[in-house]
Amino acid sequence: MKALKTLLAATLLLTATAACGGTGAASTGDGAKKTVTVYTADGLADWYKTRFDAFTQKTGIKVQTVEAGSGEVVSRMQKEKSNPQADVVVTLPPFIQKASADGLLQKYDVPGEDHVKGVKGDDYVTVVDNYLCFIANQQAGTPKTFDDLLDPKFKGKLQYSTPGQAGDGTAVLLLLQHLLGKPGALDYLKKLEANNVGPSASTGKLQPKVSKGELLVANGDVQMNAASIANDKSAFSIFFPAGADGKKSTLALPYVMGLGAGAPNADGGKQLMEYLLSTDAQETISKDAFGVPARDDVKPTDANFQTVEKVTSGVEVWQPDWSAVLSDLDADVAAYTKAVG
Protein backbone atom coordinates (compact mmCIF):
# COMPACT_ATOMS: atom_id res chain seq x y z
CA MET A 1 0.00 0.00 0.00
CA LYS A 2 4.57 3.12 -0.60
CA ALA A 3 3.22 4.91 -3.55
CA LEU A 4 4.75 6.62 -6.56
CA LYS A 5 8.06 7.99 -5.20
CA THR A 6 9.02 4.61 -3.79
CA LEU A 7 7.99 2.89 -6.99
CA LEU A 8 9.96 5.32 -9.17
CA ALA A 9 13.04 4.96 -6.99
CA ALA A 10 12.82 1.21 -7.20
CA THR A 11 12.27 1.44 -10.95
CA LEU A 12 15.50 3.40 -11.34
CA LEU A 13 17.33 0.89 -9.18
CA LEU A 14 16.11 -2.09 -11.17
CA THR A 15 16.74 -0.32 -14.47
CA ALA A 16 20.30 0.35 -13.42
CA THR A 17 20.73 -3.27 -12.40
CA ALA A 18 19.43 -4.48 -15.76
CA ALA A 19 21.62 -2.01 -17.64
CA CYS A 20 24.69 -3.46 -15.97
CA GLY A 21 23.92 -7.03 -16.88
CA GLY A 22 21.44 -7.36 -19.73
CA THR A 23 17.68 -7.11 -19.97
CA GLY A 24 16.79 -8.72 -16.63
CA ALA A 25 17.85 -11.13 -13.95
CA ALA A 26 17.42 -14.14 -16.22
CA SER A 27 20.17 -12.92 -18.55
CA THR A 28 22.75 -11.90 -15.96
CA GLY A 29 24.20 -15.33 -15.33
CA ASP A 30 24.77 -17.18 -12.07
CA GLY A 31 24.91 -13.94 -10.07
CA ALA A 32 21.23 -13.34 -10.75
CA LYS A 33 20.36 -16.67 -9.15
CA LYS A 34 21.65 -15.24 -5.88
CA THR A 35 18.94 -12.55 -5.86
CA VAL A 36 15.17 -12.79 -5.65
CA THR A 37 13.05 -9.77 -6.57
CA VAL A 38 9.79 -9.28 -4.68
CA TYR A 39 7.11 -6.84 -5.82
CA THR A 40 5.06 -6.11 -2.73
CA ALA A 41 2.30 -4.00 -1.31
CA ASP A 42 3.71 -2.02 1.60
CA GLY A 43 3.09 -2.75 5.25
CA LEU A 44 5.31 -5.76 5.94
CA ALA A 45 8.72 -4.06 5.99
CA ASP A 46 9.43 -4.94 9.63
CA TRP A 47 8.75 -8.63 9.01
CA TYR A 48 10.58 -8.64 5.70
CA LYS A 49 13.75 -7.24 7.24
CA THR A 50 14.20 -10.04 9.74
CA ARG A 51 12.89 -12.83 7.52
CA PHE A 52 14.82 -11.85 4.40
CA ASP A 53 18.04 -11.57 6.43
CA ALA A 54 17.40 -15.04 7.85
CA PHE A 55 16.58 -16.40 4.37
CA THR A 56 19.83 -14.98 2.97
CA GLN A 57 21.82 -16.51 5.82
CA LYS A 58 20.16 -19.86 5.19
CA THR A 59 20.37 -19.96 1.39
CA GLY A 60 22.89 -17.34 0.28
CA ILE A 61 20.13 -15.74 -1.83
CA LYS A 62 19.60 -12.00 -1.37
CA VAL A 63 16.15 -10.40 -1.60
CA GLN A 64 15.39 -7.03 -3.16
CA THR A 65 11.94 -5.47 -2.87
CA VAL A 66 9.88 -3.03 -4.90
CA GLU A 67 7.09 -1.56 -2.74
CA ALA A 68 4.00 0.24 -4.04
CA GLY A 69 0.24 0.32 -3.71
CA SER A 70 -1.56 -3.01 -4.04
CA GLY A 71 -2.82 -2.32 -7.55
CA GLU A 72 0.38 -0.60 -8.61
CA VAL A 73 2.56 -3.68 -8.16
CA VAL A 74 0.26 -5.64 -10.47
CA SER A 75 0.17 -2.80 -12.99
CA ARG A 76 3.97 -2.86 -13.05
CA MET A 77 3.94 -6.60 -13.75
CA GLN A 78 1.47 -6.05 -16.59
CA LYS A 79 3.78 -3.46 -18.16
CA GLU A 80 6.73 -5.85 -17.87
CA LYS A 81 4.87 -8.92 -19.13
CA SER A 82 7.12 -9.29 -22.18
CA ASN A 83 10.22 -8.98 -19.97
CA PRO A 84 9.31 -10.08 -16.43
CA GLN A 85 11.38 -8.75 -13.54
CA ALA A 86 9.43 -10.00 -10.50
CA ASP A 87 10.11 -13.42 -9.04
CA VAL A 88 7.50 -13.15 -6.30
CA VAL A 89 4.56 -10.79 -5.84
CA VAL A 90 2.82 -10.08 -2.52
CA THR A 91 -0.35 -8.01 -2.72
CA LEU A 92 -3.94 -7.84 -1.48
CA PRO A 93 -7.15 -9.20 -2.96
CA PRO A 94 -8.63 -8.66 -5.48
CA PHE A 95 -5.35 -7.62 -7.12
CA ILE A 96 -3.71 -11.01 -6.65
CA GLN A 97 -6.73 -12.56 -8.41
CA LYS A 98 -6.31 -9.99 -11.18
CA ALA A 99 -2.66 -10.94 -11.56
CA SER A 100 -3.72 -14.57 -11.84
CA ALA A 101 -6.47 -13.84 -14.38
CA ASP A 102 -4.05 -11.79 -16.49
CA GLY A 103 -1.50 -14.63 -16.67
CA LEU A 104 1.06 -12.84 -14.50
CA LEU A 105 1.50 -15.77 -12.11
CA GLN A 106 2.58 -19.38 -12.53
CA LYS A 107 1.27 -22.38 -10.64
CA TYR A 108 3.27 -23.41 -7.62
CA ASP A 109 2.03 -25.52 -4.70
CA VAL A 110 3.89 -24.06 -1.75
CA PRO A 111 4.77 -26.69 0.87
CA GLY A 112 2.53 -26.11 3.89
CA GLU A 113 -0.30 -24.43 1.99
CA ASP A 114 -2.64 -27.23 3.05
CA HIS A 115 -2.56 -25.53 6.46
CA VAL A 116 -3.82 -22.24 4.97
CA LYS A 117 -7.59 -21.89 5.24
CA GLY A 118 -7.81 -18.35 3.90
CA VAL A 119 -7.44 -16.98 0.37
CA LYS A 120 -5.63 -19.34 -2.01
CA GLY A 121 -5.82 -20.53 -5.60
CA ASP A 122 -3.81 -22.56 -8.08
CA ASP A 123 -1.12 -19.88 -8.29
CA TYR A 124 -1.39 -17.84 -5.08
CA VAL A 125 -1.69 -18.40 -1.33
CA THR A 126 -2.18 -16.22 1.75
CA VAL A 127 1.03 -15.54 3.66
CA VAL A 128 -0.24 -13.11 6.35
CA ASP A 129 -3.80 -12.59 7.55
CA ASN A 130 -5.03 -9.04 8.17
CA TYR A 131 -8.17 -6.87 8.44
CA LEU A 132 -9.45 -3.53 7.17
CA CYS A 133 -9.75 -0.80 9.81
CA PHE A 134 -9.78 2.98 10.23
CA ILE A 135 -7.50 5.25 12.24
CA ALA A 136 -8.27 8.50 14.08
CA ASN A 137 -5.98 11.21 15.39
CA GLN A 138 -6.31 11.79 19.10
CA GLN A 139 -7.88 15.22 18.42
CA ALA A 140 -10.77 13.53 16.64
CA GLY A 141 -11.74 11.24 19.49
CA THR A 142 -13.06 7.97 18.15
CA PRO A 143 -15.93 8.16 15.65
CA LYS A 144 -18.54 5.56 16.50
CA THR A 145 -20.37 5.04 13.20
CA PHE A 146 -19.96 5.55 9.48
CA ASP A 147 -22.46 8.41 9.74
CA ASP A 148 -20.13 10.14 12.21
CA LEU A 149 -17.58 10.45 9.40
CA LEU A 150 -20.01 12.70 7.51
CA ASP A 151 -19.71 15.36 10.24
CA PRO A 152 -18.55 18.71 8.75
CA LYS A 153 -15.78 18.86 11.36
CA PHE A 154 -13.92 16.33 9.20
CA LYS A 155 -14.03 18.51 6.06
CA GLY A 156 -10.53 18.49 4.57
CA LYS A 157 -9.37 16.28 7.43
CA LEU A 158 -10.45 12.87 6.17
CA GLN A 159 -8.94 10.74 3.45
CA TYR A 160 -9.16 7.15 2.28
CA SER A 161 -7.05 5.38 -0.31
CA THR A 162 -8.57 5.08 -3.74
CA PRO A 163 -10.68 2.03 -4.65
CA GLY A 164 -9.22 0.23 -7.63
CA GLN A 165 -5.71 1.43 -6.83
CA ALA A 166 -5.12 0.50 -3.19
CA GLY A 167 -6.21 -2.74 -1.57
CA ASP A 168 -7.40 -1.06 1.61
CA GLY A 169 -9.29 1.55 -0.39
CA THR A 170 -10.97 -1.13 -2.47
CA ALA A 171 -11.87 -2.83 0.81
CA VAL A 172 -13.66 0.32 2.01
CA LEU A 173 -15.89 0.22 -1.06
CA LEU A 174 -16.52 -3.51 -0.66
CA LEU A 175 -17.40 -3.25 3.02
CA LEU A 176 -19.87 -0.43 2.34
CA GLN A 177 -21.40 -2.48 -0.47
CA HIS A 178 -21.78 -5.36 1.96
CA LEU A 179 -23.44 -3.14 4.57
CA LEU A 180 -25.51 -0.82 2.36
CA GLY A 181 -25.81 -2.52 -1.02
CA LYS A 182 -24.08 -1.14 -4.09
CA PRO A 183 -26.38 1.89 -4.62
CA GLY A 184 -26.29 2.68 -0.90
CA ALA A 185 -22.50 2.50 -0.83
CA LEU A 186 -22.23 4.96 -3.72
CA ASP A 187 -24.73 7.33 -2.08
CA TYR A 188 -22.73 7.26 1.15
CA LEU A 189 -19.37 7.82 -0.55
CA LYS A 190 -20.84 10.68 -2.57
CA LYS A 191 -21.80 12.36 0.73
CA LEU A 192 -18.40 11.54 2.26
CA GLU A 193 -16.69 13.26 -0.66
CA ALA A 194 -17.55 16.61 0.95
CA ASN A 195 -14.98 15.76 3.65
CA ASN A 196 -12.49 13.75 1.57
CA VAL A 197 -9.13 15.38 0.81
CA GLY A 198 -8.81 13.50 -2.48
CA PRO A 199 -7.30 10.41 -4.10
CA SER A 200 -4.40 8.44 -2.62
CA ALA A 201 -2.85 5.41 -4.29
CA SER A 202 -1.22 4.31 -1.04
CA THR A 203 -2.83 3.70 2.34
CA GLY A 204 0.54 3.67 4.06
CA LYS A 205 1.16 7.33 3.17
CA LEU A 206 -1.92 8.34 5.17
CA GLN A 207 -0.52 7.12 8.50
CA PRO A 208 1.97 9.95 9.16
CA LYS A 209 -0.61 12.52 8.09
CA VAL A 210 -3.07 11.26 10.69
CA SER A 211 -0.37 11.04 13.33
CA LYS A 212 0.68 14.67 12.73
CA GLY A 213 -2.93 15.90 12.68
CA GLU A 214 -2.90 16.91 9.01
CA LEU A 215 -5.73 14.40 8.77
CA LEU A 216 -8.07 13.37 11.56
CA VAL A 217 -9.39 10.15 10.01
CA ALA A 218 -8.14 7.72 7.37
CA ASN A 219 -8.56 4.09 6.42
CA GLY A 220 -5.92 1.48 7.11
CA ASP A 221 -5.38 -2.10 8.09
CA VAL A 222 -4.80 -3.60 11.51
CA GLN A 223 -1.34 -5.06 10.87
CA MET A 224 0.19 -1.93 9.37
CA ASN A 225 -1.47 0.49 11.80
CA ALA A 226 -0.70 -1.51 14.95
CA ALA A 227 2.94 -1.76 13.87
CA SER A 228 3.06 2.00 13.26
CA ILE A 229 1.65 2.75 16.71
CA ALA A 230 4.18 0.45 18.39
CA ASN A 231 7.27 1.18 16.32
CA ASP A 232 6.80 4.78 15.17
CA LYS A 233 4.81 5.98 18.20
CA SER A 234 2.11 7.16 15.81
CA ALA A 235 -0.50 9.34 17.52
CA PHE A 236 -3.64 7.63 16.31
CA SER A 237 -5.99 4.88 17.39
CA ILE A 238 -7.53 2.01 15.46
CA PHE A 239 -11.32 1.84 15.19
CA PHE A 240 -14.10 0.11 13.30
CA PRO A 241 -17.12 2.32 12.52
CA ALA A 242 -20.47 0.68 13.17
CA GLY A 243 -23.28 0.41 10.68
CA ALA A 244 -26.87 1.56 11.19
CA ASP A 245 -27.54 -1.54 13.31
CA GLY A 246 -24.78 -0.58 15.73
CA LYS A 247 -22.63 -3.58 14.84
CA LYS A 248 -18.95 -3.21 14.02
CA SER A 249 -17.72 -5.16 11.04
CA THR A 250 -14.70 -5.48 8.79
CA LEU A 251 -13.44 -7.75 6.07
CA ALA A 252 -10.49 -10.09 5.94
CA LEU A 253 -7.77 -8.47 3.86
CA PRO A 254 -4.75 -10.78 3.73
CA TYR A 255 -1.38 -10.39 2.12
CA VAL A 256 -1.27 -13.03 -0.63
CA MET A 257 1.81 -14.21 -2.53
CA GLY A 258 2.37 -15.77 -5.93
CA LEU A 259 5.26 -16.80 -8.16
CA GLY A 260 5.69 -14.49 -11.13
CA ALA A 261 5.12 -15.90 -14.62
CA GLY A 262 8.46 -15.98 -16.41
CA ALA A 263 10.22 -15.23 -13.12
CA PRO A 264 13.94 -14.62 -13.80
CA ASN A 265 14.82 -16.64 -10.69
CA ALA A 266 11.87 -18.99 -10.28
CA ASP A 267 13.86 -21.48 -8.20
CA GLY A 268 14.90 -18.78 -5.77
CA GLY A 269 11.36 -17.43 -5.70
CA LYS A 270 10.01 -20.88 -4.81
CA GLN A 271 12.55 -21.19 -2.01
CA LEU A 272 11.54 -17.81 -0.61
CA MET A 273 7.82 -18.60 -0.76
CA GLU A 274 8.41 -21.95 0.95
CA TYR A 275 10.40 -20.19 3.67
CA LEU A 276 7.80 -17.47 4.28
CA LEU A 277 5.08 -20.08 4.68
CA SER A 278 7.21 -22.31 6.92
CA THR A 279 6.25 -22.64 10.57
CA ASP A 280 9.54 -21.00 11.56
CA ALA A 281 8.72 -17.81 9.62
CA GLN A 282 5.00 -17.85 10.39
CA GLU A 283 5.71 -17.97 14.12
CA THR A 284 7.44 -14.58 13.86
CA ILE A 285 4.79 -12.58 11.97
CA SER A 286 2.88 -11.31 15.00
CA LYS A 287 5.99 -10.69 17.09
CA ASP A 288 7.80 -8.84 14.30
CA ALA A 289 4.95 -6.98 12.58
CA PHE A 290 1.52 -7.51 14.25
CA GLY A 291 0.38 -9.82 11.45
CA VAL A 292 -1.74 -12.93 11.92
CA PRO A 293 -0.18 -16.23 10.75
CA ALA A 294 -1.78 -17.68 7.64
CA ARG A 295 -1.18 -21.26 8.84
CA ASP A 296 -3.78 -22.78 11.12
CA ASP A 297 -1.14 -24.87 12.90
CA VAL A 298 0.74 -21.79 14.15
CA LYS A 299 -0.72 -20.44 17.39
CA PRO A 300 1.14 -17.36 18.62
CA THR A 301 0.79 -16.17 22.21
CA ASP A 302 3.02 -13.08 22.13
CA ALA A 303 1.91 -9.63 23.30
CA ASN A 304 1.54 -8.27 19.76
CA PHE A 305 -0.84 -11.06 18.80
CA GLN A 306 -2.85 -10.37 21.94
CA THR A 307 -3.03 -6.69 20.92
CA VAL A 308 -4.51 -7.65 17.55
CA GLU A 309 -6.98 -9.98 19.25
CA LYS A 310 -8.05 -7.18 21.61
CA VAL A 311 -8.40 -4.59 18.83
CA THR A 312 -10.61 -6.88 16.73
CA SER A 313 -12.65 -8.26 19.63
CA GLY A 314 -16.38 -7.89 19.01
CA VAL A 315 -15.87 -7.03 15.32
CA GLU A 316 -17.64 -9.24 12.79
CA VAL A 317 -15.26 -10.39 10.05
CA TRP A 318 -16.68 -10.77 6.55
CA GLN A 319 -14.99 -13.04 3.98
CA PRO A 320 -15.74 -11.74 0.45
CA ASP A 321 -16.00 -13.97 -2.60
CA TRP A 322 -12.94 -12.53 -4.29
CA SER A 323 -13.67 -14.14 -7.66
CA ALA A 324 -17.03 -12.34 -7.72
CA VAL A 325 -15.35 -9.14 -6.55
CA LEU A 326 -12.86 -9.32 -9.42
CA SER A 327 -15.55 -9.94 -12.04
CA ASP A 328 -17.36 -6.75 -10.95
CA LEU A 329 -14.30 -4.67 -10.10
CA ASP A 330 -13.97 -2.58 -13.26
CA ALA A 331 -17.68 -1.73 -13.29
CA ASP A 332 -17.72 -1.01 -9.54
CA VAL A 333 -14.68 1.29 -9.75
CA ALA A 334 -16.18 3.10 -12.76
CA ALA A 335 -19.45 3.59 -10.86
CA TYR A 336 -17.52 4.82 -7.82
CA THR A 337 -15.47 7.29 -9.89
CA LYS A 338 -18.63 8.67 -11.47
CA ALA A 339 -20.40 8.96 -8.11
CA VAL A 340 -17.67 10.95 -6.38
CA GLY A 341 -17.12 13.12 -9.45
Side-chain angles (χ1 to χ4, degrees):
M1 310 172 264
K2 311 279 188 239
L4 197 53
K5 289 185 179 179
T6 303
L7 183 62
L8 290 174
T11 302
L12 291 174
L13 174 62
L14 291 180
T15 301
T17 302
C20 292
T23 58
S27 63
T28 57
D30 291 341
K33 301 306 181 184
K34 294 299 182 182
T35 300
V36 170
T37 299
V38 179
Y39 284 12
T40 179
D42 55 359
L44 290 176
D46 293 326
W47 189 53
Y48 284 158
K49 177 172 173 46
T50 56
R51 290 311 98 209
F52 289 170
D53 285 349
F55 176 74
T56 300
Q57 289 242 337
K58 181 179 179 180
T59 65
I61 302 172
K62 296 181 180 179
V63 184
Q64 62 181 5
T65 60
V66 176
E67 291 185 319
S70 307
E72 198 66 42
V73 295
V74 176
S75 294
R76 180 185 174 101
M77 292 178 74
Q78 288 169 328
K79 293 172 184 174
E80 296 172 348
K81 193 170 183 178
S82 63
N83 182 27
Q85 300 297 312
D87 299 307
V88 175
V89 61
V90 180
T91 191
L92 307 186
F95 299 105
I96 193 72
Q97 287 82 5
K98 182 170 178 57
S100 176
D102 290 349
L104 302 176
L105 305 178
Q106 58 177 297
K107 180 176 172 57
Y108 175 51
D109 296 324
V110 186
E113 71 173 54
D114 54 314
H115 286 287
V116 175
K117 304 306 180 187
V119 174
K120 59 182 178 180
D122 288 340
D123 49 12
Y124 55 83
V125 63
T126 295
V127 64
V128 178
D129 278 322
N130 196 16
Y131 311 98
L132 170 72
C133 68
F134 288 78
I135 53 176
N137 181 275
Q138 294 169 353
Q139 302 172 46
T142 303
K144 303 295 184 185
T145 68
F146 277 105
D147 282 347
D148 288 346
L149 302 183
L150 301 176
D151 192 312
K153 73 178 181 180
F154 293 121
K155 184 176 178 60
K157 290 289 187 175
L158 178 150
Q159 192 171 19
Y160 61 95
S161 51
T162 307
Q165 296 184 33
D168 292 323
T170 304
V172 171
L173 176 61
L174 295 176
L175 180 60
L176 288 168
Q177 288 177 344
H178 177 64
L179 296 174
L180 304 173
K182 290 190 177 185
L186 294 179
D187 287 345
Y188 174 82
L189 289 169
K190 186 174 182 179
K191 294 174 184 175
L192 188 65
E193 195 64 15
N195 290 341
N196 187 26
V197 170
S200 174
S202 168
T203 314
K205 293 186 74 172
L206 303 181
Q207 290 186 126
K209 294 180 180 181
V210 177
S211 183
K212 295 173 185 176
E214 295 174 27
L215 297 173
L216 295 180
V217 172
N219 68 315
D221 63 69
V222 171
Q223 177 274 322
M224 180 174 64
N225 296 151
S228 183
I229 292 169
N231 300 333
D232 303 328
K233 309 306 177 188
S234 294
F236 53 66
S237 59
I238 295 170
F239 73 101
F240 300 87
D245 59 2
K247 295 180 180 178
K248 298 178 181 179
S249 59
T250 186
L251 74 161
L253 197 63
Y255 294 92
V256 187
M257 64 179 177
L259 185 67
N265 187 1
D267 288 342
K270 290 177 181 179
Q271 290 182 64
L272 179 62
M273 292 173 68
E274 179 177 351
Y275 173 71
L276 293 179
L277 203 61
S278 69
T279 54
D280 286 349
Q282 289 281 301
E283 286 170 352
T284 67
I285 181 57
S286 55
K287 177 174 61 71
D288 287 353
F290 290 86
V292 176
R295 293 181 62 127
D296 63 4
D297 59 343
V298 174
K299 309 291 185 183
T301 59
D302 58 88
N304 290 355
F305 182 76
Q306 292 173 21
T307 294
V308 172
E309 290 278 277
K310 183 178 180 180
V311 165
T312 57
S313 177
V315 180
E316 179 182 328
V317 179
W318 171 51
Q319 302 277 357
D321 178 344
W322 290 110
S323 296
V325 168
L326 180 61
S327 67
D328 292 346
L329 184 62
D330 288 346
D332 286 347
V333 170
Y336 162 78
T337 303
K338 181 178 179 181
V340 301

